[in-house]
């Protein structure tokens, strides 16, 4: 036991002096996780707000031809009306100086007072983002104008304007605020959890195994009267400690960041991410076991390599293999994972975290996930010890 | 102190050590000699239990390499060509880590480390990080590391390779001191000239086989030669010595070619 502790302590201290480990295992989770997740929220809020607040540039051939409609449009907020000859409006929409052109017939005023319907052409360019979003807003304005003038006409005929309304459609969202927030970070948070479970232990895993071969300290280590299992165990625990710290730091800093700057205003409603202590505890537990499992996998992959470079080459695809299914499954909306899927390491942690964020406590899913992750962690350590005990791996050139 | 019996090591088809036997005792410097590729390093690795013997066995301080590998390792200190250190650790920290792995600790370990720093003349750089050390500095720390647990048997594989005259002398002085203190020092080298001056007994390997063993004077007398180098050439034959060298060169070239 003492030897395992000696190796563990040495590897941690050694890697604490390595800038790469400090950067990827400590600094990145503290800074990056909240910045990316909160940044995404804020960016979305910002783009929605910006689109709503943008002033629409709209033009007609001649303001005189339709004073009723023009005075209505001029009373609208965030709308800038001008006169543009019909032969050049298209090029103006193309160069962005104009969003919308209204084609109003010359007979508008007389037809309007004769209560004949008048066709108004709303020229826009659907391939241009500003123009197409402006056209939606202009269409709404014209519909409101339509309703107002219709109500006026009915009023003069003594009919109440409600006669026009047969139904009043009102949208009601059944998702609770927790669900809306849960779905949103349910997408990004589990993804980052997996990424940090890997990156946290990556450099130290390479350093204690392939790094030792590259620096040529391995043979001296093998001369000591300590079993290979204990050496591997000490190294493994150092990797697991580092990735566990990374997970705790990233979840902790994320939680603090959400408390300090609650993301609000999404979809109009306040999105509250208010997790119970129990949910946070399980999420942390799953995250830690995930990190512990990846620590074992990383170590057995890196132990196989001769040099730092080779180890990195082995680990990069391993990264993709771990993240790819998660990315795919994550992008399927309303995906309901079946129980066997909770056996797949990595993917299962994503599902459990997602469920917890949605306020679901499924004990079976949680237990299968923890069991599977522990099983793979132990398997990985056994493999790493086996590889470490093989002389060919140590002395091949 | 060290008894080698019919020791054999194969790597697939290659026989690196072919049924060699010799004995070495406390209080002597024992030369394990032979040209490049003779099998010296492999013999040492099998004795140190990091490679498993294919056949035969060896005993170190009464412990069998097959039955009690951890006891063997406790009683042996080995220096090989891999003298890498932990770059982010100071020389002292490097030594402390290995001392702890050998089961030492506390005051006793610190005193032992101070002693080694003094004996190997490492005071100037003992508390600096090893990353920037010269070959000579590294070699000294690696030597100290291999004997931090004060083993009964010390095996040095090409200990002065890459060292300047001064550093080489420090190492030679250390080996002589260890002999005075009753240790068995096994010096493995291809440089028979250097080994002859230091060794009490020798074993000469050639093409994985033991060619001869005994005290230096015995070996010289038997071969009727003036020095060990002559003795080696007389024993294996002039042509054989040359063809060995040629075969080695070809092998080296083939290896280099394969890597590309
Ligand atoms: N891990 C290995 N796998 C395959 N062959 C090996 C291995 N280690 C050594 N050999 C081969 O065994 C033979 C003996 O090598 P060894 O390193 O023991 O010789 P040596 O006497 O120490 O030589 P040198 O003076 O060059 O260090 C060589 O032919 C070498 O190529
Ligand atoms: Mg050698």
């Amino acid at each position: 036991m003492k030897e395992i502790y000696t190796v563990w302590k040495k590897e941690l201290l050694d890697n604490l002096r390595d800038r790469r480990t400090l950067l990827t295992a400590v600094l990145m989770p503290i800074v990056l996780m909240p910045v990316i997740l909160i940044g995404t929220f804020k960016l979305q809020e910002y783009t929605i707000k910006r689109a709503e607040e943008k002033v629409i540039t709209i033009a007609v051939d001649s303001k005189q031809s339709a004073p009723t409609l023009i005075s209505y449009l001029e009373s609208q907020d965030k709308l800038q009306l001008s006169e543009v000859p019909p032969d050049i409006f298209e090029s103006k929409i193309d160069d962005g100086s104009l969003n919308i052109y209204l084609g109003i017939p010359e007979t508008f005023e007389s037809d309007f007072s004769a209560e004949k319907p008048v066709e108004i052409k709303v020229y826009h360019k659907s391939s241009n983002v500003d123009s197409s979003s402006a056209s939606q807003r202009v269409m709404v304005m014209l519909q409101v104008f339509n309703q107002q003038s219709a109500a006026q006409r009915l009023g003069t005929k003594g009919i109440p304007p409600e006669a026009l309304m047969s139904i009043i459609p009102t949208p009601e969202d059944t998702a609770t605020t927790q669900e809306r927030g849960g779905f949103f970070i349910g997408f990004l948070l589990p993804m980052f959890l997996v990424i940090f479970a890997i990156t946290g232990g990556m450099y130290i895993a390479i350093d204690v195994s392939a790094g030792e071969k590259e620096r040529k300290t391995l043979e001296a280590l093998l001369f000591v009267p300590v079993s290979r299992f204990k050496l591997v165990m000490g190294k493994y625990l150092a990797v697991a400690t580092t990735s566990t710290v990374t997970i705790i730091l990233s979840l902790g800093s994320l939680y603090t960041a959400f408390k300090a700057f609650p993301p609000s205003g999404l979809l109009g409603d306040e999105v509250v991410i208010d997790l119970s202590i129990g949910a946070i505890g399980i999420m942390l537990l799953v995250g830690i076991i995930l990190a512990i499992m990846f620590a074992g996998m990383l170590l057995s992959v890196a132990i196989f390599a001769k040099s730092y470079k080779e180890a990195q080459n082995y680990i990069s695809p391993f990264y993709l293999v771990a993240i790819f299914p998660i990315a795919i499954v994550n992008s399927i909306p309303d995906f309901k994972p079946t129980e066997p899927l909770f056996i797949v390491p990595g993917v299962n942690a994503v599902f459990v975290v997602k469920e917890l964020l949605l306020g679901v406590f499924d004990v079976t899913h949680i237990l299968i996930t923890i069991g599977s992750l522990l099983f793979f962690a132990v398997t990985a350590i056994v493999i790493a010890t086996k590889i470490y005990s093989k002389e060919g791996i140590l002395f091949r050139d | 102190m060290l008894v080698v019996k019919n020791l054999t090591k194969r790597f697939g088809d290659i026989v690196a050590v072919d049924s060699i036997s010799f004995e070495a005792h406390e209080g002597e410097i024992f030369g394990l000699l032979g040209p490049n590729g003779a099998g010296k390093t492999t013999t040492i690795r099998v004795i140190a239990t990091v490679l498993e013997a294919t056949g035969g066995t060896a005993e170190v301080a009464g412990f069998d390499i097959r039955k009690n590998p951890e006891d063997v390792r406790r009683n042996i200190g080995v220096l090989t060509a891999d003298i890498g250190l932990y770059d982010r650790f100071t020389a002292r920290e490097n030594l402390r880590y290995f001392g702890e792995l050998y089961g030492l600790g506390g005051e006793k370990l610190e005193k032992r480390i101070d002693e080694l720093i003094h004996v190997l003349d490492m005071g100037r750089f003992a508390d600096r990080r090893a990353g920037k050390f010269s070959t000579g500095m590294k070699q000294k720390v690696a030597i100290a590391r291999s004997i931090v647990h004060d083993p009964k048997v010390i095996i040095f594989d090409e200990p002065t390779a890459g060292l300047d005259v001064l550093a080489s002398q420090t190492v030679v002085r250390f080996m002589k001191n260890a002999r005075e203190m009753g240790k068995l020092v096994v010096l493995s080298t291809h440089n028979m000239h250097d080994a002859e001056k230091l060794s009490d007994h020798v074993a000469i390997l050639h093409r994985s086989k033991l060619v001869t063993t005994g005290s230096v004077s015995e070996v010289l007398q038997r071969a009727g030669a003036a020095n060990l180098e002559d003795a080696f050439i007389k024993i294996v034959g002039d042509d054989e010595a040359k063809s060995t060298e040629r075969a080695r060169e070809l092998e080296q070239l083939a290896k280099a070619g394969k890597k590309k």
Side-chain angles (χ1 to χ4, degrees):
Chain A
M1 276 323 278
K2 194 162 168 294
E3 294 98 334
I4 296 179
Y5 170 72
T6 300
V7 174
W8 173 82
K9 193 180 65 181
K10 180 262 163 189
E11 297 298 5
L12 275 186
L13 180 62
D14 198 354
N15 275 275
L16 219 57
R17 291 179 182 175
D18 185 4
R19 244 180 256 131
R20 275 173 305 198
T21 304
L22 272 184
L23 201 73
T24 52
V26 180
L27 211 63
M28 250 174 35
I30 292 183
V31 178
L32 215 58
M33 188 98 152
V35 163
I36 289 179
L37 288 180
I38 299 214
T40 317
F41 271 118
K42 296 279 171 204
L43 188 72
Q44 203 151 32
E45 273 175 31
Y46 173 74
T47 41
I48 291 171
K49 243 191 207 147
R50 220 181 72 121
E52 280 168 357
E53 282 175 355
K54 212 162 192 184
V55 173
I56 299 172
T57 54
I58 187 167
V60 294
D61 181 15
S62 137
K63 290 186 186 178
Q64 262 80 54
S65 63
T68 325
L69 181 60
I70 296 301
S71 71
Y72 166 76
L73 287 176
E74 280 181 332
S75 72
Q76 297 296 307
D77 270 346
K78 302 192 178 109
L79 198 78
Q80 198 189 354
L81 190 65
S82 60
E83 289 186 345
V84 166
D87 51 328
I88 61 159
F89 80 81
E90 276 191 54
S91 64
K92 289 199 139 225
I93 289 179
D94 278 346
D95 71 22
S97 60
L98 188 65
N99 301 136
I100 301 293
Y101 181 79
L102 290 183
I104 305 175
E106 301 216 348
T107 58
F108 179 87
E109 272 312 308
S110 57
D111 285 350
F112 182 73
S113 23
E115 299 193 354
K116 273 204 269 176
V118 191
E119 189 187 18
I120 308 256
K121 289 204 167 92
V122 181
Y123 291 99
H124 66 282
K125 200 179 179 77
S126 62
S127 57
N128 176 313
V129 181
D130 283 344
S131 174
S132 75
S133 77
S135 92
Q136 283 167 20
R137 281 163 61 192
V138 169
M139 288 299 287
V140 171
M141 286 175 197
L142 292 178
Q143 256 146 35
V144 171
F145 176 79
N146 213 8
Q147 275 168 14
Q148 282 175 2
S149 48
Q152 225 164 39
R153 287 173 186 177
L154 290 172
T156 57
K157 293 187 170 81
I159 303 168
E162 288 79 30
L164 274 180
M165 275 185 242
S166 61
I167 54 160
I168 307 170
T170 318
E172 286 285 344
D173 190 352
T174 65
T176 61
T177 48
Q178 192 188 32
E179 279 174 330
R180 254 172 279 154
F183 179 76
F184 195 73
I185 49 170
F187 187 87
L188 283 176
L189 179 65
M191 189 79 160
F192 275 101
L193 209 61
V194 174
I195 290 176
F196 279 119
I198 298 178
T199 45
M202 188 172 92
Y203 276 111
I204 181 167
I206 297 178
D207 197 75
V208 303
S209 53
E212 186 131 44
K213 284 188 209 174
E214 191 165 304
R215 281 191 305 260
K216 301 206 177 300
T217 50
L218 179 61
E219 188 164 16
L221 186 64
L222 298 182
F223 289 141
V224 304
V226 178
S227 72
R228 299 281 165 89
F229 172 73
K230 284 181 180 168
L231 293 178
V232 172
M233 210 51 205
K235 285 167 184 288
Y236 166 72
L237 288 177
V239 178
T241 304
T242 310
S243 46
T244 301
V245 167
T246 305
I247 288 291
I248 293 174
L249 285 179
S250 57
L251 278 177
S253 78
L254 184 75
Y255 186 73
T256 319
F258 269 116
K259 282 266 149 167
F261 314 95
S264 60
L266 248 197
L267 311 164
D269 273 293
E270 184 107 343
V271 173
V272 194
I273 287 135
D274 194 16
L275 290 162
S276 66
I277 294 295
I280 301 243
I282 294 176
M283 206 144 63
L284 203 59
L285 182 71
V286 169
I288 289 171
I289 297 176
L290 183 72
I292 285 171
M293 182 213 61
F294 275 127
M297 287 194 169
L298 288 171
L299 191 63
S300 53
V301 170
I303 249 175
F304 191 76
K306 259 189 315 181
S307 66
Y308 231 97
K309 253 216 173 102
E310 196 183 326
Q312 270 176 323
N313 289 344
Y314 289 156
I315 285 176
S316 311
F318 169 85
Y319 228 118
L320 281 181
V321 168
I323 292 177
F324 201 57
I326 295 161
I328 288 183
V329 167
N330 238 341
S331 62
I332 303 170
D334 291 333
F335 181 78
K336 283 267 178 285
T338 52
E339 249 156 45
L341 267 177
F342 283 87
I343 298 172
V344 185
V347 178
N348 53 10
V350 173
F351 291 143
V352 167
V353 170
K354 235 172 151 169
E355 284 184 351
L356 288 172
L357 288 165
L358 291 169
V360 178
F361 271 93
D362 191 319
V363 178
T364 319
H365 288 174
I366 293 170
L367 288 182
I368 296 178
T369 298
I370 291 177
S372 144
L373 290 176
L374 285 178
F375 171 79
F376 281 99
V378 171
T379 310
I381 302 168
V382 170
I383 291 173
T385 310
K386 279 255 160 67
I387 295 176
Y388 223 69
S389 307
K390 272 219 172 80
E391 54 188 41
I393 279 295
L394 303 173
F395 294 109
R396 80 194 164 108
D397 38 23
Chain B
M1 186 64 44
L2 172 64
V3 184
V4 177
K5 293 179 232 165
N6 302 320
L7 198 69
T8 300
K9 178 63 187 175
R10 260 187 233 114
F11 298 106
D13 295 339
I14 305 170
V15 185
V17 177
D18 193 355
S19 191
I20 64 170
S21 304
F22 63 84
E23 270 184 42
H25 306 279
E26 53 262 55
E28 71 168 342
I29 295 180
F30 186 93
L32 184 62
L33 313 177
N36 295 132
K40 305 181 295 290
T41 301
T42 305
T43 304
I44 293 170
R45 282 178 171 156
V46 174
I47 292 172
T49 76
V50 296
L51 290 181
E52 209 181 315
T54 316
T57 189
E59 257 175 38
V60 176
F63 295 106
D64 188 274
I65 56 168
R66 290 172 183 276
K67 289 179 204 138
N68 308 93
E70 286 189 18
D71 286 317
V72 168
R73 277 183 266 160
R74 236 182 289 278
N75 283 289
I76 205 170
V78 186
L79 174 84
T80 57
D82 286 351
I83 56 158
L85 305 174
Y86 298 118
D87 291 347
R88 295 183 293 265
F89 271 23
T90 65
R92 195 186 292 275
E93 285 168 333
N94 269 281
L95 297 181
R96 191 176 295 136
Y97 178 48
F98 279 87
E100 283 172 1
L101 288 175
Y102 277 106
L104 307 174
E107 271 296 283
K108 209 176 152 205
L109 176 59
E110 297 308 314
K111 265 175 92 179
R112 172 70 180 159
I113 292 171
D114 282 336
E115 185 188 325
L116 288 170
I117 289 171
H118 174 72
V119 170
L120 288 165
D121 191 19
M122 303 189 293
R124 282 164 293 111
F125 54 87
D127 293 303
R128 298 232 312 264
R129 291 204 183 166
K132 297 223 165 73
F133 286 3
S134 70
T135 313
M137 289 152 93
K138 279 187 179 165
Q139 182 80 352
K140 283 181 176 179
V141 181
I143 288 172
R145 173 177 71 189
S146 68
I147 51 168
V148 66
H149 54 305
D150 198 16
K152 289 182 185 147
V153 178
I154 298 169
I155 304 185
F156 283 175
D157 192 2
E158 309 282 1
T160 54
L163 293 192
D164 62 26
V165 189
L166 280 176
S168 292
Q169 267 180 357
T170 311
V171 175
V172 168
R173 210 181 317 121
F174 174 83
M175 288 193 286
K176 285 180 174 165
N177 273 340
R179 169 170 60 188
E180 296 307 308
M181 285 158 65
K183 311 277 182 198
L184 163 60
V185 180
V186 176
L187 167 64
S188 159
T189 177
H190 62 269
N191 190 328
M192 299 199 192
H193 181 71
D194 284 359
E196 186 174 340
K197 289 188 291 184
L198 279 168
S199 306
D200 303 298
H201 289 81
V202 294
I204 302 182
L205 303 186
H206 175 56
R207 292 193 171 207
S208 326
K209 287 197 172 70
L210 182 77
V211 180
T212 182
T213 182
S215 73
V216 174
S217 54
E218 270 168 20
V219 170
L220 293 182
Q221 208 168 25
R222 247 183 272 148
N227 57 52
L228 280 180
E229 222 161 276
D230 281 349
F232 173 71
I233 290 172
K234 275 202 172 146
I235 296 169
V236 301
D238 204 5
D239 288 348
E240 168 68 14
K242 274 186 188 148
S243 76
T244 306
E245 202 184 338
R246 229 173 292 136
R248 282 292 302 176
E249 283 169 7
L250 285 176
E251 198 181 297
Q252 197 56 46
L253 288 175
K255 245 192 215 166
K258 236 190 273 170
K259 267 187 190 145
K260 275 170 197 164

